[in-house]
Amino acid sequence: MNAPALPAPLILNGPGDARVEASAFGAHLLSWHCRGQERLYLSPNAGFGAGKAIRGGVPVIFPQFGERGDGPRHGFARTLTWEAESADPADPQAARLSFRLADREETRRHWPHRFEAGLDIEPGADRLRIALSVRNRDRNAFEFSAALHTYLAVSDIATTLVHGLEDRPYLDSAQAGAACPPSDAPVRFDGEVDRIYADTRRPLRITDGEQMLRCEAEGFADTVVWNPGEALAAGMADLAPGGHRRFVCVEAAQVLQPVRLEPGEAWTGAQILILEGSAAQYRIGG
């Protein structure tokens, strides 16, 4: 029996040449084109079959991160079809793609709570805002973890740096969750990097040659930085050979302290990506 066909992607043109493309499957952002370039990485080998997460873009991680829970790895939100909401054409502020997911039988098999989640994607002339919201529709409180697993396109991971985490300790998931002290240097990528940084409040900057991208977060306390490195990537069937060199994942996340919502309460977390000027000012010491 053939798997159900996935819904056709939705496309939204923003100011200037900004353009986003997203699928209701997983409320998954597939593409962000801005200032003449694609800014996200989507693997050419990505699977688009129902029930399988898409490699690249921005997968939505909810209601658990990784294997920190009893449900599917990284939760079920990224492998279910959400409901796409139509914007009001008379509303000048409605330049966004919106998706909604409510609990149903297949979610309650993994996570026995009544909830409503939403994802809003808003492109600007030089920026992108992605916001995840969750409301508790249950009679009891519940807790969850979440992240926006953003694959940023880079020209070469070997020359990519992540600035702004120099003073933060981290958990090294590539080393069985070992607690590590601050590095006092930008994050570099030489082999597998899989880190969870707690309480990251200041903006981050990702430099890739002359390109610089600022990454801000609202509502999310943690940051996850990930690249599989050559050895791990070689065993990933949905990643093309050498594909790990073309992206870095910098994720706004809520991992180490799950969000707790009482009945009727709601939470929103957002990641804002902003294109900036030359990366030259970050070369000293980097």
Side-chain angles (χ1 to χ4, degrees), residues 225-269:
V225 179
W226 179 71
N227 181 275
E230 183 177 6
L232 183 60
M236 302 169 70
D238 56 358
L239 195 61
H244 71 285
R245 300 182 66 89
R246 304 302 174 207
F247 71 84
V248 61
C249 288
V250 179
E251 312 171 36
Q254 192 73 33
V255 178
L256 301 180
Q257 181 61 54
V259 177
R260 179 181 174 86
L261 292 181
E262 298 294 332
E265 286 186 338
W267 167 90
T268 298

Side-chain angles (χ1 to χ4, degrees), residues 26 35 43 48 66 75 83 102 104 125 135 162 165 169 177 206 209 224 278 282:
R35 288 193 192 173
S43 172
F48 288 84
E83 179 182 354
R104 55 203 196 209
R135 179 175 295 279
V162 178
L165 297 168
I206 298 93
V224 178
S278 170
Y282 287 90

